[in-house]
Amino acid sequence: MASYNGLVSTFLLAIFVFQVTKFGHSDASTNVSCIGTEREALLKFKHGLIDPWRRLSSWTGEECCKWEGVKCNEKTGHVLKLDLRNPCIEEIDTLAPSNKCRLGGIIFPSLTELKYLKYLDLSVNNFSTQKIPMFFHSLQKLEYLNLSYTGFDGDIPRQLNNLSKLQYLDLSNDFGLGYLTSNDLGWVSRLSSLKYLHLSGTALSKAKDWFGSINMLSSLQSLGLSNCQLQDVSSSLQANLTSLRFLSLESNNLSSIPPWVYNLSKLEHIDLSDNFHIKGPFPTAIIQNNQRLAFFDASLDSLQGEFPKNLSSLCKLQVVRLRSNYFKGNISVISDGPLGCVQSKWKILDFADNNFSGDLPNQFGDFKQLEYLDLSLNSISGFIPTNLGELSSLRELHLGDNKLSGTIPESIGRLSNLKELEVQHNFLYGVVSELHFESLKSLTHLDISSNELILNVSSTWIPPFQVSEIDLSNCKVGPEFPKWLRTQRNITSLTMSNVSIADGIPDWLYNISSNISHLDISSNMLSGQVPQHIGDKMPRLTVLRLWGNNLTGGIVSSLCKLNKLVEINLSKNQLSGRLPQCWGASQRLEALVFGDNKLNGQIPKSLCHLQQLLVLSLHRNVFSGVIPNCLSNLQQMIFLDLSDNEFTGRLPPFGKHSQSLAMINLEKNHLVGGIPPHFCQLPYLRFLSLAKNNISGLIPNCIDGFLSMVDSTLYYEDWPYIPGLNVMVSTKGSHQIYGDVISYFFSIDLSANMLDGHIPGEFTKLLELQNLNLSWNNLSGCIPSSIGDMKKLESLDLSINKLSGKIPPGISNMDFLSHLNLSFNRLSGPIPSGNHLRTVDDESVYRGNNGLCGAPLLKICPGDEPPSSNEGNGDNSSGGKPNKHDLDIHNWFYAGLGPGFTMGFLGFCGILHFKRSWRVSYFREMDRAIEKFSRAMMIIMLWFKKTFEQRK
């Protein structure tokens, strides 16, 4: 893609430079004698240079005008031109030079003897740590000065303003070599003849009136100020740059497109890319005002809104790059309507990584000059138009990461110039046959991964192409290993993950592997063994992924020969035996993943030589012995998983020399001893599991040294991405498998050990913690009173310990708590109430704590007994309506009233019947009672009669 990014810009720039610099050749000749003083000056200049590539080997003899890079005036013999530009530039548009051919050393002031020098080019060499020589200002006749990418450092000398005839000045810089600065561009304003000014990579953040100084250069035609840390300028300034044709403001700190840009009318090239803070709609006026505009780049900005309709001026451009903005709307708007781009001159069209939607328009087939089309990373749907096969000039087609459906049209196979084809991560389906590749003789990059495609070609098919990169992942290629691959001799990357291959790794794969750097055949059903001589046959291998297969045998020692290997993942196979002992310091290994196999033996100490190791995963094997302490000296290591093995001995002292560690999983082993206090020196640790070991002693009080769990701003960003790397996590009462998201999960699991003592209060400072499991230990004392501060905690398990005291009330304020287990401790007192605890309102949470009371337990806390019937005045909590519990009591009362009375009465009569003395006494007392009752009634009746007569 890089070769097309600067296609038009390089073309325009080359024409312009030719026009500006033609003076460097017009009066030059090699058929003239050299001036002696100037020859001596050049020899002194050469003496100060370092020339390991012998570029100046021709600088001998009397005729200096015939020396490499030297041109003289054909009449006077004076040196006019000195061109020592690095000839080993590999790609002119990115200025990516090789380290070859670079001159270095010291620039001697003998150059001042070249009084008639008009042209000086020292670009793309290495004079790092030096400042731009002050004596350059004395080269009064200089018209062309190119010091770009030379590594000069420090302030640009203001004395350069003495070069009044200067037309071309390029001080572009690369931060990798030097760091040029300028706090005041006033010196530029005096260079009135300047037509070309490029200061890209120069720090101009302190240059207050940078635009005011440049604006005085009315003859300026090309201005390059990319990556200069430019700030916004006053919106009231009007541009005086009426001749400007080339403008680059790429990679600055601009918050809006400078208003003066809208006033320019002769621009042919404008680059506003990589200014993330530039917002607003598409700058239509710039396109309409500049009828000669051929190159427009506003990628990696923050432009937004609907794309303008019927923008016919856009069709005149050759390069349109709007990648990584926030544009939305229907993608067909660029070709629909009466002013649509039917006669477009587009060569490069890059709308990737926006929010465009809708179907791909059929009009794309009309853009006959299109060479590069990138619409990836949008939400474009529908079918791939068949007439894309008519774009005979198309070299790159990128439609990946959209919502395209249907089949890939066979007409794609007619694009004989197509080099890169990417349609990955869509909803495409159907068969991909030989017709899809019929004329793709130029194809070097093929990615059809993550679709529902079936690759169906003959076993004898010979493709017309020689690809370097292939990705067929998540398509159906198997069950046999594709034999057509044996015809490909230039493969550097082969990815066929999850393609249903149920076969062995063929021997002929060696014959196409000498250039392979990336090999991924993971998640298939490969059988057999890892090739014994893989380290000899694939010397350039950097990534090897064979995980998720049925491979057997051992880990071959030839892997140790791969000094360029960065990642090796052989997990989830049936590999057995011991790890090789041959790992060496010269290897660049960053990820070594052998988990979920049947490997045994001890961890070889030679692994400690891998100082660049980021990931070491050996989980679910049968490794034994002591974990080497030297692993704690791997300063770059981030991810360590040795869980579910047979390791013994003590925990290694991870800490001071392994501060990059973010994930440690040592659960399910036989480790003993205490938790070393060195662990507290792991500031980026976010996942720690020591569960199911025999670890004893106290939990260190310094546990708040896990600073990333305290403050999320200390989050470690460089988490490595390793496909197939999973971690089994015990959380929320179950076991869950975490993949890539483990990097965002903060957890501590010390369960099922023999830890004792108190729970350190420092735990409550770990505000980012989401999972805490201390169950099945011998912890005592109280639950820390400020545990409610851990607002992000989702799962808390303190069960089966010896904790006592009350449950802190703050536990009811944990917003995200969805799993709580405090069972089988010695807790007492009331259970806190609160809305947040309703999600864990289950009796099993508190079971085995005899001193606890309150809901959801049936045990009522003292002082919370229900009121008696004569105290409540008939009131109840249900507003006068009996609740179900009360109704049950009443029903049972009345149901037992009748049988109870009957049984009591029959029992009483039985006693009187069988007990004569009781019977006589009973009736005697009854007679006396009746007599007393009769007398009382008589007296009452007489009292009523007498009272009635008196009133009458």
PDB file of all heavy atoms in Angstrom, residues 856-871:
ATOM      1  N   PRO A 856     -31.462 -13.091  54.917  1.00  0.00           N
ATOM      2  CA  PRO A 856     -32.462 -14.104  54.546  1.00  0.00           C
ATOM      3  C   PRO A 856     -32.533 -15.300  55.494  1.00  0.00           C
ATOM      4  O   PRO A 856     -33.218 -16.274  55.187  1.00  0.00           O
ATOM      5  CB  PRO A 856     -31.974 -14.542  53.165  1.00  0.00           C
ATOM      6  CG  PRO A 856     -30.495 -14.436  53.246  1.00  0.00           C
ATOM      7  CD  PRO A 856     -30.236 -13.238  54.094  1.00  0.00           C
ATOM      8  N   LEU A 857     -31.801 -15.260  56.640  1.00  0.00           N
ATOM      9  CA  LEU A 857     -31.885 -16.350  57.604  1.00  0.00           C
ATOM     10  C   LEU A 857     -33.201 -16.265  58.367  1.00  0.00           C
ATOM     11  O   LEU A 857     -33.792 -15.181  58.517  1.00  0.00           O
ATOM     12  CB  LEU A 857     -30.695 -16.284  58.570  1.00  0.00           C
ATOM     13  CG  LEU A 857     -29.295 -16.380  57.953  1.00  0.00           C
ATOM     14  CD1 LEU A 857     -28.229 -16.262  59.037  1.00  0.00           C
ATOM     15  CD2 LEU A 857     -29.132 -17.692  57.195  1.00  0.00           C
ATOM     16  N   LEU A 858     -33.688 -17.411  58.887  1.00  0.00           N
ATOM     17  CA  LEU A 858     -34.927 -17.434  59.669  1.00  0.00           C
ATOM     18  C   LEU A 858     -34.706 -16.935  61.083  1.00  0.00           C
ATOM     19  O   LEU A 858     -35.662 -16.549  61.767  1.00  0.00           O
ATOM     20  CB  LEU A 858     -35.500 -18.858  59.703  1.00  0.00           C
ATOM     21  CG  LEU A 858     -35.969 -19.429  58.346  1.00  0.00           C
ATOM     22  CD1 LEU A 858     -36.457 -20.859  58.529  1.00  0.00           C
ATOM     23  CD2 LEU A 858     -37.065 -18.552  57.763  1.00  0.00           C
ATOM     24  N   LYS A 859     -33.444 -16.927  61.498  1.00  0.00           N
ATOM     25  CA  LYS A 859     -33.140 -16.496  62.856  1.00  0.00           C
ATOM     26  C   LYS A 859     -33.349 -15.001  62.989  1.00  0.00           C
ATOM     27  O   LYS A 859     -32.781 -14.215  62.228  1.00  0.00           O
ATOM     28  CB  LYS A 859     -31.699 -16.868  63.204  1.00  0.00           C
ATOM     29  CG  LYS A 859     -31.307 -16.511  64.627  1.00  0.00           C
ATOM     30  CD  LYS A 859     -29.882 -16.952  64.915  1.00  0.00           C
ATOM     31  CE  LYS A 859     -29.474 -16.595  66.342  1.00  0.00           C
ATOM     32  NZ  LYS A 859     -28.068 -17.016  66.619  1.00  0.00           N
ATOM     33  N   ILE A 860     -34.207 -14.621  63.976  1.00  0.00           N
ATOM     34  CA  ILE A 860     -34.540 -13.214  64.184  1.00  0.00           C
ATOM     35  C   ILE A 860     -33.551 -12.598  65.160  1.00  0.00           C
ATOM     36  O   ILE A 860     -33.205 -13.195  66.182  1.00  0.00           O
ATOM     37  CB  ILE A 860     -35.975 -13.071  64.713  1.00  0.00           C
ATOM     38  CG1 ILE A 860     -36.960 -13.677  63.707  1.00  0.00           C
ATOM     39  CG2 ILE A 860     -36.314 -11.606  64.974  1.00  0.00           C
ATOM     40  CD1 ILE A 860     -38.383 -13.724  64.213  1.00  0.00           C
ATOM     41  N   CYS A 861     -33.068 -11.416  64.803  1.00  0.00           N
ATOM     42  CA  CYS A 861     -32.105 -10.726  65.668  1.00  0.00           C
ATOM     43  C   CYS A 861     -32.798 -10.200  66.914  1.00  0.00           C
ATOM     44  O   CYS A 861     -33.982  -9.812  66.868  1.00  0.00           O
ATOM     45  CB  CYS A 861     -31.448  -9.577  64.904  1.00  0.00           C
ATOM     46  SG  CYS A 861     -30.453 -10.103  63.505  1.00  0.00           S
ATOM     47  N   PRO A 862     -32.108 -10.180  68.069  1.00  0.00           N
ATOM     48  CA  PRO A 862     -32.681  -9.611  69.298  1.00  0.00           C
ATOM     49  C   PRO A 862     -33.135  -8.171  69.077  1.00  0.00           C
ATOM     50  O   PRO A 862     -32.422  -7.370  68.492  1.00  0.00           O
ATOM     51  CB  PRO A 862     -31.515  -9.682  70.294  1.00  0.00           C
ATOM     52  CG  PRO A 862     -30.635 -10.774  69.765  1.00  0.00           C
ATOM     53  CD  PRO A 862     -30.762 -10.712  68.281  1.00  0.00           C
ATOM     54  N   GLY A 863     -34.379  -7.914  69.571  1.00  0.00           N
ATOM     55  CA  GLY A 863     -34.935  -6.573  69.391  1.00  0.00           C
ATOM     56  C   GLY A 863     -35.773  -6.442  68.140  1.00  0.00           C
ATOM     57  O   GLY A 863     -36.448  -5.425  67.941  1.00  0.00           O
ATOM     58  N   ASP A 864     -35.731  -7.487  67.277  1.00  0.00           N
ATOM     59  CA  ASP A 864     -36.529  -7.445  66.057  1.00  0.00           C
ATOM     60  C   ASP A 864     -37.741  -8.362  66.119  1.00  0.00           C
ATOM     61  O   ASP A 864     -38.358  -8.651  65.092  1.00  0.00           O
ATOM     62  CB  ASP A 864     -35.658  -7.857  64.861  1.00  0.00           C
ATOM     63  CG  ASP A 864     -34.595  -6.814  64.554  1.00  0.00           C
ATOM     64  OD1 ASP A 864     -34.769  -5.667  64.995  1.00  0.00           O
ATOM     65  OD2 ASP A 864     -33.614  -7.170  63.873  1.00  0.00           O
ATOM     66  N   GLU A 865     -38.138  -8.855  67.427  1.00  0.00           N
ATOM     67  CA  GLU A 865     -39.279  -9.754  67.543  1.00  0.00           C
ATOM     68  C   GLU A 865     -40.563  -9.036  67.160  1.00  0.00           C
ATOM     69  O   GLU A 865     -40.715  -7.837  67.394  1.00  0.00           O
ATOM     70  CB  GLU A 865     -39.406 -10.289  68.982  1.00  0.00           C
ATOM     71  CG  GLU A 865     -38.239 -11.135  69.435  1.00  0.00           C
ATOM     72  CD  GLU A 865     -37.111 -10.308  70.037  1.00  0.00           C
ATOM     73  OE1 GLU A 865     -37.194  -9.068  69.911  1.00  0.00           O
ATOM     74  OE2 GLU A 865     -36.167 -10.887  70.585  1.00  0.00           O
ATOM     75  N   PRO A 866     -41.557  -9.750  66.600  1.00  0.00           N
ATOM     76  CA  PRO A 866     -42.834  -9.121  66.233  1.00  0.00           C
ATOM     77  C   PRO A 866     -43.623  -8.720  67.475  1.00  0.00           C
ATOM     78  O   PRO A 866     -43.541  -9.394  68.506  1.00  0.00           O
ATOM     79  CB  PRO A 866     -43.548 -10.220  65.433  1.00  0.00           C
ATOM     80  CG  PRO A 866     -42.925 -11.490  65.895  1.00  0.00           C
ATOM     81  CD  PRO A 866     -41.510 -11.172  66.230  1.00  0.00           C
ATOM     82  N   PRO A 867     -44.411  -7.615  67.468  1.00  0.00           N
ATOM     83  CA  PRO A 867     -45.173  -7.142  68.636  1.00  0.00           C
ATOM     84  C   PRO A 867     -46.306  -8.104  68.987  1.00  0.00           C
ATOM     85  O   PRO A 867     -46.832  -8.802  68.125  1.00  0.00           O
ATOM     86  CB  PRO A 867     -45.714  -5.793  68.171  1.00  0.00           C
ATOM     87  CG  PRO A 867     -45.744  -5.890  66.687  1.00  0.00           C
ATOM     88  CD  PRO A 867     -44.593  -6.755  66.303  1.00  0.00           C
ATOM     89  N   SER A 868     -46.704  -8.149  70.345  1.00  0.00           N
ATOM     90  CA  SER A 868     -47.814  -9.005  70.793  1.00  0.00           C
ATOM     91  C   SER A 868     -49.138  -8.407  70.368  1.00  0.00           C
ATOM     92  O   SER A 868     -49.236  -7.241  69.997  1.00  0.00           O
ATOM     93  CB  SER A 868     -47.776  -9.153  72.324  1.00  0.00           C
ATOM     94  OG  SER A 868     -47.907  -7.871  72.935  1.00  0.00           O
ATOM     95  N   SER A 869     -50.271  -9.229  70.494  1.00  0.00           N
ATOM     96  CA  SER A 869     -51.590  -8.824  69.985  1.00  0.00           C
ATOM     97  C   SER A 869     -52.181  -7.650  70.741  1.00  0.00           C
ATOM     98  O   SER A 869     -52.884  -6.820  70.170  1.00  0.00           O
ATOM     99  CB  SER A 869     -52.562 -10.002  70.049  1.00  0.00           C
ATOM    100  OG  SER A 869     -52.689 -10.461  71.381  1.00  0.00           O
ATOM    101  N   ASN A 870     -51.944  -7.529  72.106  1.00  0.00           N
ATOM    102  CA  ASN A 870     -52.536  -6.425  72.870  1.00  0.00           C
ATOM    103  C   ASN A 870     -51.712  -5.160  72.796  1.00  0.00           C
ATOM    104  O   ASN A 870     -52.079  -4.156  73.369  1.00  0.00           O
ATOM    105  CB  ASN A 870     -52.731  -6.838  74.331  1.00  0.00           C
ATOM    106  CG  ASN A 870     -51.422  -7.227  74.993  1.00  0.00           C
ATOM    107  OD1 ASN A 870     -50.426  -7.404  74.309  1.00  0.00           O
ATOM    108  ND2 ASN A 870     -51.440  -7.392  76.315  1.00  0.00           N
ATOM    109  N   GLU A 871     -50.574  -5.247  72.080  1.00  0.00           N
ATOM    110  CA  GLU A 871     -49.741  -4.054  71.944  1.00  0.00           C
ATOM    111  C   GLU A 871     -49.900  -3.435  70.576  1.00  0.00           C
ATOM    112  O   GLU A 871     -49.605  -2.272  70.385  1.00  0.00           O
ATOM    113  CB  GLU A 871     -48.265  -4.422  72.162  1.00  0.00           C
ATOM    114  CG  GLU A 871     -47.970  -4.848  73.594  1.00  0.00           C
ATOM    115  CD  GLU A 871     -46.546  -5.309  73.758  1.00  0.00           C
ATOM    116  OE1 GLU A 871     -45.847  -5.417  72.723  1.00  0.00           O
ATOM    117  OE2 GLU A 871     -46.109  -5.562  74.870  1.00  0.00           O
TER     118      GLU A 871
END
